[in-house]
Amino acid sequence: MKTRININGIIKDDACVSVFDHGFLFGDSIYEVVNTRKNRPCFLDEHLKRLHCSALGIDLAIPFDDSWFREQINLTLSEAGNSESYIRIVVTRGIGDINIDPSSCASPLVLIYVTPAHIYPSEWYEKGIDLATVSIQRNSKNALNPGIKTGNYLNNVLAKIESRQLGTHDALMLNSLGHLTESTTSNLFFVRDGGLMTPSLECGILAGITRDIGIRLGQENGFRVEEGSWPIEILENTEEIFLTGSVKHLMPVTRLDGKVIGDGKPGPITRSLTCLYETFLERCE
């Protein structure tokens, strides 16, 4: 299994980014993570569409079109030769002066990382993971909008550090109003009175691609699905919790802040949606 890095169309085993790159200096960049199935990118059209939305959100011009991205991703996957791969697309503002004014950056840098697939322990899916509600708040939409997938991830890094200090797998973040948002790299779903619930985009979250599919699959298969704004207290009597993401798919949560969720095992709706999602992936091959 190999790692290959594509920089503006040149594939290398290893690569370096300039210390004057504004992505390195200031987190002035955007990115997408794409998983593969049978080593073909999953939902690449959706990821590229979101990449363009993120670029628009920070006034960044992407120097290549989607056909270039598809071609270079396929070439890099072929060079790596993995059975399954993790793909990370990064676009930085490029090299410029050492100040936050981006006007000195003439040429954005595009990197495509291909590494062996990231695999979570099977035990996490069988038994669920632990979450901790952390003190780090999710970025305000009026500050650094979480709906823009930027490389400036320190907010999430600090939340992850706090969750580890609390002895849990991941963090659950609230917004400034005390409402539920998401985890450090995942969207949040929970089940209450048999209905499937997830924080709305207005709460300040990323419009997750797996989240969108989960909502659609729930609606198509007869589940009541509700997007809304809720305080943390609503999870006190929740029946199930799970996270969604491109790499982790659907990850069950069986403990929150030291308390057992439901019967302490992945619940029936979580298991049902997991099967529906895996079947959906097979149809997309």
Side-chain angles (χ1 to χ4, degrees):
M1 294 187 293
K2 300 176 183 177
T3 294
R4 291 289 183 268
I5 302 171
N6 184 318
I7 299 183
N8 286 349
I10 300 173
I11 300 173
K12 302 181 178 182
D13 295 344
D14 198 3
C16 298
V17 173
S18 170
V19 296
F20 296 103
D21 190 287
H22 277 215
F24 166 74
L25 288 171
F26 308 116
D28 190 357
S29 64
I30 57 174
Y31 81 100
E32 284 290 324
V33 168
V34 183
N35 215 28
T36 67
R37 193 166 183 98
K38 295 186 178 178
N39 213 31
R40 292 199 293 265
C42 294
F43 314 121
L44 184 56
D45 288 349
E46 290 85 350
H47 283 286
L48 291 176
K49 180 179 179 180
R50 191 169 63 182
L51 186 75
H52 287 292
C53 288
S54 294
L56 183 63
I58 67 168
D59 195 25
L60 173 63
I62 298 177
F64 304 112
D65 62 18
D66 286 357
S67 62
W68 183 92
F69 277 102
R70 293 188 186 94
E71 179 183 11
Q72 294 302 320
I73 288 170
N74 288 333
L75 288 171
T76 312
L77 284 170
S78 179
E79 283 280 333
N82 302 318
S83 58
E84 294 291 1
S85 297
Y86 166 99
I87 305 163
R88 190 179 189 92
I89 305 167
V90 178
V91 185
T92 80
R93 189 80 62 176
I95 295 171
D97 297 336
I98 307 180
N99 63 62
I100 64 171
D101 185 351
S103 63
S104 63
C105 302
S107 301
L109 183 70
V110 177
L111 300 100
I112 300 170
Y113 300 79
V114 170
T115 73
H118 296 187
I119 307 297
Y120 290 96
S122 59
E123 182 181 14
W124 292 10
Y125 293 96
E126 295 164 1
K127 298 183 178 180
I129 63 170
D130 297 357
L131 290 187
T133 308
V134 296
S135 62
I136 302 295
Q137 294 180 349
R138 196 67 176 98
N139 299 89
S140 166
K141 290 181 64 179
N142 298 319
L144 180 58
N145 189 344
I148 303 172
K149 201 170 177 67
T150 76
N152 193 318
Y153 235 58
L154 187 56
N155 177 250
N156 303 59
V157 170
L158 294 175
K160 188 73 171 183
I161 290 171
E162 185 175 342
S163 74
R164 286 187 173 177
Q165 291 172 341
L166 293 169
T168 60
H169 294 95
D170 209 344
L172 174 60
M173 290 183 284
L174 310 179
N175 62 22
S176 61
L177 298 174
H179 295 154
L180 300 169
T181 63
E182 55 192 348
S183 188
T184 57
T185 59
S186 315
N187 289 119
L188 172 73
F189 284 81
F190 61 99
V191 176
R192 189 176 174 89
D193 298 326
L196 188 62
M197 307 173 78
T198 188
S200 70
L201 299 182
E202 294 303 312
C203 294
I205 64 171
L206 181 70
I209 291 167
T210 310
R211 172 185 180 273
D212 289 345
I213 295 170
I215 290 172
R216 180 164 25 126
L217 290 174
Q219 292 171 335
E220 291 174 351
N221 288 275
F223 295 105
R224 175 173 54 84
V225 181
E226 182 178 353
E227 298 178 69
S229 179
W230 300 287
I232 182 66
E233 288 78 15
I234 198 170
L235 297 182
E236 290 179 358
N237 297 312
T238 191
E239 298 149 26
E240 304 176 38
I241 299 177
F242 62 89
L243 305 177
T244 61
S246 293
V247 176
K248 61 172 55 71
H249 298 183
L250 276 70
M251 177 71 72
V253 176
T254 50
R255 293 182 71 88
L256 174 64
D257 296 330
K259 298 179 180 179
V260 174
I261 303 300
D263 62 1
K265 300 176 182 178
I269 292 180
T270 302
R271 296 196 304 271
S272 177
L273 282 171
T274 296
C275 291
L276 289 169
Y277 183 75
E278 293 301 318
T279 300
F280 183 81
L281 281 178
E282 291 175 4
R283 293 202 308 266
C284 293
E285 292 175 3

